[in-house]
DNA sequence: ACCTGAACACCGTTCAAGT
DNA sequence: ACCTGAACACCGTTCAAGT
C-alpha cells in the first residue's frame, strides 16, 4: 500500500503520560506554578480534565514527574573531567542552571522527600565524591550535605523567581532589601548592616559556587 | 469604683494580629499545613473568615508571620558560649529542633525569599562567624552557605514529616527507601546501593550536625 | 474601627456516561 | 481501554451590610 500508517505510530494528539508531563513543563516554564491546573492542562491537550487522571494519579505525582524529567536532563551525559572536585563543581552548576531556567523545580525539590529527583542528585554527587578517599560513613554525610545545600539554594532561588517573574525587578528587589538592611539598627543587626552593600552587586551563581567550594574544602579536611 | 476594667484590657476573645497568628500556629502544629484554612481559623477564633482580613493581608503573610514567630522564639536568648564555633553548632541545632517540632516552618523557610525569618537566621549565623577572622566577602558567602544548608535540610525534614505525620511510619519509610536503594542496579547507581544500609540506622540530627561541621571546617580552611 | 457571612471565582478530584 | 465533562467538595478573597 502507498499510505502505510504503522500501528505503533499513534496520532500526534494521542494522550500519554509523557505528553502530559511535557505539557505540564511547558505551562510551568511559561507561566509559573500557579498556572498549572488540570483545567489549563486539559485545555492545552484538547481533552477533558478527567482524562489526565487516567495517566497520572494526581497533581503531586505530576509535579514530581516533571521535576524528575528536568533533573534527569540536567544530569544527563555529565562529562567526566580529570579533577573529581571540578566534576562536583560543574555538576552543582548544572543543577543550579537547570533550576534557574525552571524555578518551579526549586520549590518542588525543596518539598519532596527522598523522591527520584533527589535520589538522582544524591547519586551523581556521591559518585564524584567516591574518589576523595573519604570513609564510607563520612561520605554519606558529605554527599547529603552537598545535596541539602544545593536543594536549599534551589528553594531560595525559586522563591526569588516567584517574586519577580522574569528578572525585571530582581535588582530592584535586591536594592530594596539592601536598603532595608542598611537601615537596620547596627546594634541589633551588626552582621546584616555590615554586609548590606555586598548584597546589591553579588552574583547568585558565584555565591552558590563559593558555598560548594566551602563544603568541598570541609570534605578535604582530615577528621 | 470596685470593678475597674481598664480600657486597654480588651475582652480575651478580642481579635488581634497576635491572636490570629497564635491560633494559626496551633492549627499548623496540630494538623499540618493543609489544615490551615481561613474557615478553620475563623471557626477557632469564633468569628467570620472576613474578619481575619482586617488584621492580616492574606494567607501568605499569615504563614510568614507564623514562621517569624517560631524562628524568633528558637533564636531568642541564644546563650553565648566560649567557643564561637560551638555557638554556631548550638544555633544550628536550635533551628533544627524548632523545625522538627514545627515541620511547616521548614516548608515555609524553603519557599520564602529574603523574608524576616531568613534574615534572623542569617544575622544570627553571621554574628557568630564574625570572630572567625574571615574577610568580609568570604564571611557573607560563608553565612549564606550555612543558612542555605540549614534551610535545605529544613525543607527535606518538613517533607518527611508531611509524609508520615507524627513519627509512626518514619522508620518504615526509611526502610522502604533503603530496600529500594539496595534493589537498584549497582552498575547504574553505585553510590546509593553502597550507602543503602547506612540509611536505616542514620540519625537525621547527627547527619545535620555533620554537615554543619563540614561547612565550618571549610570556613576554617585558609583561602 | 472592626466584624459578619454570603457570594465569587476559582481549585483538585471523581465518576457516570460515552466510544 | 481510554476519554468526556458535569458535579462535588472544597479553597482564598471580597464586600455590602451591620455594630
Amino acid at each position: 500500500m502507498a499510505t502505510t500508517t504503522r500501528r505503533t505510530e499513534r496520532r500526534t494528539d494521542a494522550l500519554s503520560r509523557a505528553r502530559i508531563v511535557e505539557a505540564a513543563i511547558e505551562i510551568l516554564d511559561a507561566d509559573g506554578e500557579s498556572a498549572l491546573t488540570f483545567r489549563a492542562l486539559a485545555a492545552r491537550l484538547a481533552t477533558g480534565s478527567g482524562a489526565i487522571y487516567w495517566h497520572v494519579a494526581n497533581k503531586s505525582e505530576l509535579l514530581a514527574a516533571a521535576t524528575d524529567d528536568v533533573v534527569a536532563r540536567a544530569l544527563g551525559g555529565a562529562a567526566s573531567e580529570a579533577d573529581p572536585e571540578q566534576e562536583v563543581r560543574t555538576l552543582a552548576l548544572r543543577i543550579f542552571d537547570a533550576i534557574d531556567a525552571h524555578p518551579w523545580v526549586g520549590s518542588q525539590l525543596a518539598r519532596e522527600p527522598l523522591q527520584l529527583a533527589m535520589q538522582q542528585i544524591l547519586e551523581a554527587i556521591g559518585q564524584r565524591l567516591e574518589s576523595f578517599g573519604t570513609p564510607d560513613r563520612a561520605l554519606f554525610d558529605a554527599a547529603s550535605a552537598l545535596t541539602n545545600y544545593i536543594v536549599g539554594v534551589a528553594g531560595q532561588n525559586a522563591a526569588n523567581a516567584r517574586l519577580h517573574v522574569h528578572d525585571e525587578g530582581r535588582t530592584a528587589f535586591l536594592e530594596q532589601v539592601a536598603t532595608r538592611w542598611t537601615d537596620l539598627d547596627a546594634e541589633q543587626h551588626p552582621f546584616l548592616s555590615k554586609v548590606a552593600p555586598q548584597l546589591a552587586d553579588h552574583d547568585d551563581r558565584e555565591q552558590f559556587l563559593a558555598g560548594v567550594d566551602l563544603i568541598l574544602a570541609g570534605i578535604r579536611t582530615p577528621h
Side-chain angles (χ1 to χ4, degrees), chain A:
Chain A
M1 284 203 123
T3 55
T4 53
T5 32
R6 270 168 282 152
R7 296 253 172 81
T8 47
E9 250 179 15
R10 307 288 299 276
R11 300 191 324 286
T12 324
D13 58 324
L15 220 48
S16 72
R17 195 184 149 93
R19 253 175 55 73
I20 291 171
V21 171
E22 183 193 356
I25 292 176
E26 284 167 13
I27 293 176
L28 288 163
D29 285 346
D31 300 305
E33 303 168 57
S34 64
L36 182 66
T37 67
F38 276 79
R39 275 165 247 261
L41 197 52
R44 176 180 273 256
L45 293 165
T47 183
S49 57
I52 297 165
Y53 282 91
W54 184 262
H55 304 272
V56 157
N58 50 43
K59 188 171 184 180
S60 130
E61 192 195 287
L62 178 58
L63 276 167
T67 305
D68 292 343
D69 252 39
V70 172
V71 169
R73 230 174 292 151
L75 259 39
S80 61
E81 302 172 55
D83 184 4
E85 234 174 276
Q86 189 54 40
E87 272 187 43
V88 174
R89 255 189 289 268
T90 58
L91 193 67
L93 280 179
R94 274 192 191 221
I95 302 171
F96 182 91
D97 290 337
I99 289 163
D100 203 49
H102 315 274
W104 51 274
V105 172
S107 338
Q108 193 51 27
L109 281 180
R111 54 187 11 259
E112 237 184 325
L114 291 163
Q115 235 56 39
L116 231 114
M118 282 293 292
Q119 277 183 39
Q120 292 183 68
I121 297 175
L122 195 59
E123 172 68 40
I125 299 274
Q127 277 182 26
R128 270 75 178 185
L129 250 43
E130 299 256 34
S131 51
F132 277 49
T134 324
D136 270 24
R137 181 70 213 207
L139 201 150
F140 185 33
D141 289 346
S144 289
L146 264 170
T147 305
N148 278 320
Y149 169 71
I150 291 170
V151 166
V153 176
Q156 291 310 112
N157 269 33
N160 283 336
R162 212 179 306 121
L163 216 63
H164 29 69
V165 200
H166 283 155
D167 264 359
E168 85 268 6
R170 196 204 106 87
T171 46
F173 171 71
L174 277 184
E175 271 169 31
Q176 181 199 313
V177 175
T179 46
R180 203 203 306 155
W181 286 7
T182 312
D183 293 347
L184 282 172
D185 182 10
E187 294 287 317
Q188 274 203 293
H189 300 276
F191 179 75
L192 292 181
S193 45
K194 188 172 94 175
V195 121
Q198 290 180 48
L199 190 66
D201 68 296
H202 94 289
D203 182 276
D204 278 343
R205 205 167 179 269
E206 273 175 36
Q207 194 169 50
F208 168 71
L209 197 57
V212 172
D213 284 338
L214 227 46
I215 300 178
L216 284 175
I219 296 174
R220 250 188 276 110
T221 304
H223 185 193

